[in-house]
Amino acid sequence: MNKRQRIKKNEDFQKVFKKGKSFANRQFVVYCLKQEEQVEQEAFRIGLSVSKKVGNAVTRVRVKRYIRQAFLELKNEVRQDMDYVIIARTQAATLDFHETKKSLQHVLKVARVYKG
């Protein structure tokens, strides 16, 4: 994922938290917000939040890597005009990549932003 597809600034995270809608399953919480002022940007943006409660640094980085790779593989089925913030819950630490992808597909279907 390139830098334009990531949400890094705290103010962008807060905007998605306050104005966006949240959807959840046991492993992830996904906040979705339609991009309004970013007309020139056709791709979605993604922000990740993995708490220290999830595990040690190695575990947290692995969870983030799995989420990024899952979104990279699902990028054609996900709505492009949205900002997504994904919060990993503690159960996400026990998942392998395929389970992570399946869980993300489920929560994105619940949010009605997945076309697969």
Side-chain angles (χ1 to χ4, degrees), residues 26-108:
R26 289 186 179 189
Q27 293 84 18
F28 300 104
V29 179
V30 176
Y31 284 84
C32 304
L33 178 65
K34 188 165 173 39
Q35 297 172 348
E36 62 274 347
E37 72 271 353
Q38 296 151 343
V39 178
E40 75 280 351
Q41 195 176 36
E42 67 279 349
F44 62 87
R45 295 190 313 162
I46 181 173
L48 302 177
S49 175
V50 183
S51 169
K52 286 187 178 180
K53 293 178 186 175
V54 173
N56 62 9
V58 175
T59 305
R60 294 193 306 269
V61 169
R62 186 179 64 234
V63 169
K64 288 184 199 178
R65 218 175 43 234
Y66 286 169
I67 295 170
R68 277 193 216 105
Q69 184 61 33
F71 258 87
L72 199 63
E73 292 183 9
L74 300 173
K75 69 180 177 186
N76 294 327
E77 285 93 23
V78 175
R79 274 189 60 182
Q80 299 294 312
D81 61 340
M82 303 284 281
D83 284 343
Y84 302 101
V85 173
I86 293 104
I87 301 171
R89 291 181 166 172
T90 54
Q91 292 89 347
T94 62
L95 303 179
D96 65 0
F97 171 70
H98 297 293
E99 292 170 332
T100 301
K101 184 176 174 184
K102 192 172 179 183
S103 179
L104 280 172
Q105 282 176 328
H106 172 260
V107 76
L108 291 171

